[in-house]
């Protein structure tokens, strides 16, 4: 898909839980070090939800902030899409929990599962629904509680992940020069086991055995995913620039998914961008999956790093494997 879509980002908001887990937390009980984590991943600290918090409570907080930012009432929303790989419960969709928290009974709501590419998938679907004339204002949320599916005995994954939520309101634009200019999505289902939680679904339902074997936790073939991610990110960038005829100098900011600072650095080098033009929050939040891109965008907007009229690129890759890229004029 590549066409001019009159859909704008009308408002954004984000929320991170209060509790901070620094690298020293892991040094106290695991064979790891601050030095290893920092140099291999770029993570200094990550956030973890408190008792009583969940994916939906964080999502609702982020959504309230996005509504405030957009100067809108919840009653003006036509649809809620929650992008998450860590729902509150298996049934029903956690988007319904969010809808209830926001007091928006009647508004359609569904979950979208594309892991770390969730926000790329969610915004592309939402923009096309707006473009088709079905809805005027759509709330797209990326929210994750990865700390709840992380095996804290597995040093190869537990140091990476954190909890966060971000929300964006996509709205029909009156100005065709503004909004989504390009989007492209992809997936490779032959690589499901590269990043997955094996149990808890219909293929391997929860049992005492699956719990004993720690099969409900996230597993990742880190090295393989790393190699694939670097190559795929380059492809996505090439495709997006070629299709739009834009050069990297015209981009005010690039917002990549935050899975590893070294992957982000290779994206920056590929685009030959100065450090201030690439969004980074992995040092503060770790990998927050579907939340990372929208949280980074919200922070960049609130800090004035990007403004109305600026061109931005967002791109991500995650479990599935799934990936996506988009270019917007804010
Ligand atoms: N502390 C100390 N040593 C560690 C740790 C740790 N926390 N974790 C792994 N090691 C060790 C390994 O055991 C290995 O030791 P060995 O050589 O004796 O076997 C060594 O460090 C190197 O391990 P690698 O896996 O090769 O380390 P790598 O440099 O690849 O870093 C990482 C691992 C950070 C996971 C990296 O591969 C990565 O970022 N992969 C991509 C992740 C990604 O993009 N995911 C997509 C999104 S996630 C989602 O969708 C939910």
């Amino acid at each position: 898909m590549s066409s001019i879509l009159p859909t704008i980002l009308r408002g954004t908001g984000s929320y991170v839980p209060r509790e901070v887990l620094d690298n020293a937390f892991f040094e106290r009980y695991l064979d790891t070090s601050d030095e290893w984590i920092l140099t291999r991943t770029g993570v200094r600290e990550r956030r973890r939800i408190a008792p009583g918090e969940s994916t939906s409570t964080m999502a609702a907080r982020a959504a309230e902030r996005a509504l405030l930012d957009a100067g809108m009432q919840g009653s003006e929303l036509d649809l809620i899409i929650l992008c998450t790989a860590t729902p509150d419960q298996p049934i029903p969709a956690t988007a319904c929990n969010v809808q209830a928290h926001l007091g928006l009974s009647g508004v359609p709501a569904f979950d979208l599962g594309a892991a770390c590419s969730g926000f790329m998938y969610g915004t592309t679907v939402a923009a096309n629904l707006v473009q088709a004339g079905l809805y005027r204002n759509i709330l797209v949320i990326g929210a994750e509680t990865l700390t709840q599916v992380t095996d804290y005995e597995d040093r190869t994954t537990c140091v990476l992940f954190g909890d966060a939520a971000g929300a964006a309101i996509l709205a029909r634009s009156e100005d065709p020069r503004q909004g989504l200019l390009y989007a492209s999505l992809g997936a490779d289902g032959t690589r499901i086991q590269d990043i997955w939680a094996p149990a808890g679904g219909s293929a391997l339902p929860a049992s005492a055995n699956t719990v004993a074997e720690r099969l409900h936790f996230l597993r990742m073939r880190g090295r393989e995913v790393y190699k694939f991610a670097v190559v795929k990110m380059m492809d996505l960038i090439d495709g997006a620039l070629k299709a739009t005829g834009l050069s990297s100098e015209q981009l005010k900011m690039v917002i990549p998914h935050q899975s590893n600072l070294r992957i982000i650095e290779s994206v920056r080098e590929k685009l030959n961008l100065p450090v201030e033009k690439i969004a980074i929050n992995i040092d503060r939040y770790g990998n927050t999956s579907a939340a990372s891109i929208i949280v980074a965008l919200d922070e960049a907007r609130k800090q004035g790093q990007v403004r109305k009229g600026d061109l931005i690129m967002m791109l991500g890759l995650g479990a599935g494997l799934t990936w996506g890229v988009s270019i917007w004029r804010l």
Side-chain angles (χ1 to χ4, degrees):
M1 183 203 78
S2 70
S3 61
I4 305 289
L5 299 176
T7 306
I8 54 163
L9 291 165
R10 185 160 158 191
T12 59
S14 57
Y15 172 82
V16 294
R18 286 171 70 96
E19 190 189 6
V20 175
L21 298 184
D22 60 13
N23 292 343
F25 168 85
F26 296 98
E27 283 180 323
R28 285 196 277 278
Y29 75 98
L30 271 180
D31 180 16
T32 190
S33 65
D34 176 48
E35 201 260 334
W36 191 97
I37 301 169
L38 205 50
T39 53
R40 292 298 186 108
T41 74
V43 184
R44 285 180 192 278
E45 57 189 43
R46 66 292 285 148
R47 302 296 179 101
R48 181 166 64 179
I49 53 168
E53 283 192 304
S54 67
T55 295
S56 72
T57 64
M58 291 198 305
R61 296 286 296 274
E64 283 161 0
R65 291 173 183 177
L67 283 166
L68 201 65
D69 183 51
M72 287 172 66
Q73 301 294 319
S75 55
E76 293 175 72
L77 294 174
D78 301 312
L79 175 68
I80 298 169
I81 302 176
L82 175 67
C83 310
T84 190
T86 47
D88 281 16
Q89 65 280 314
I91 302 169
T94 301
C96 296
N97 301 58
V98 177
Q99 189 238 46
H101 294 317
L102 295 173
L104 296 176
S105 189
V107 175
F110 67 87
D111 285 3
L112 188 156
C116 301
S117 315
F119 191 69
M120 306 312 304
Y121 270 66
T123 45
T124 303
V125 168
N128 277 279
L129 291 172
V130 170
Q131 164 76 356
L134 259 72
Y135 300 111
R136 188 167 275 276
N137 300 309
I138 302 182
L139 175 63
V140 181
I141 309 169
E144 302 280 12
T145 47
L146 285 165
T147 62
Q148 306 304 294
V149 295
T150 293
D151 185 348
Y152 278 79
E153 300 300 319
D154 175 7
R155 69 174 184 171
T156 69
T157 53
C158 70
V159 299
L160 302 172
F161 299 113
D163 302 338
I169 295 164
L170 274 63
R172 193 176 300 171
S173 169
E174 306 306 323
D175 180 357
R177 289 164 304 177
Q178 230 191 325
L180 182 61
L181 304 182
Y182 172 84
S184 173
L185 303 174
D188 181 357
T190 65
R191 301 190 63 148
I192 282 171
Q193 295 186 8
D194 277 2
I195 312 168
W196 73 324
S202 61
L204 190 55
S207 68
N209 208 27
T210 59
V211 172
E213 291 182 22
R214 309 178 83 76
L215 295 173
H216 296 270
F217 291 125
L218 206 63
R219 295 172 174 204
M220 182 165 72
R221 295 176 182 145
R223 208 172 307 181
E224 286 78 2
V225 177
Y226 183 97
K227 283 190 236 156
F228 184 82
V230 172
V231 174
K232 183 52 75 180
M233 297 290 234
M234 303 305 147
D235 284 354
L236 293 176
I237 290 166
D238 281 340
L241 293 181
K242 201 168 163 208
T244 54
L246 293 167
S247 68
S248 59
E249 296 84 65
Q250 290 174 276
L251 301 171
K252 187 69 196 285
M253 183 162 262
V254 173
I255 307 176
H257 169 50
Q258 310 280 310
S259 56
N260 188 311
L261 189 58
R262 290 181 291 144
I263 298 177
I264 298 170
E265 191 53 31
S266 51
V267 167
R268 190 181 73 75
E269 280 170 18
K270 162 86 177 167
L271 287 161
N272 198 20
L273 291 176
V275 275
E276 64 274 14
K277 280 194 164 190
I278 194 129
I280 293 172
N281 65 25
I282 189 168
D283 53 332
R284 288 171 291 135
Y285 306 139
N287 179 346
T288 59
S289 191
S292 81
I293 293 173
I294 174 57
V295 170
L297 172 61
D298 182 52
E299 291 182 340
R301 287 182 73 246
K302 303 284 160 64
Q303 287 159 15
Q305 292 168 284
V306 291
R307 293 194 166 84
K308 194 173 171 189
D310 287 341
L311 282 167
I312 61 162
M313 177 191 281
M314 302 192 270
L315 71 164
L317 180 140
L321 296 176
T322 54
W323 54 84
V325 61
S326 62
I327 294 182
W328 296 73
R329 187 178 292 282
L330 294 178

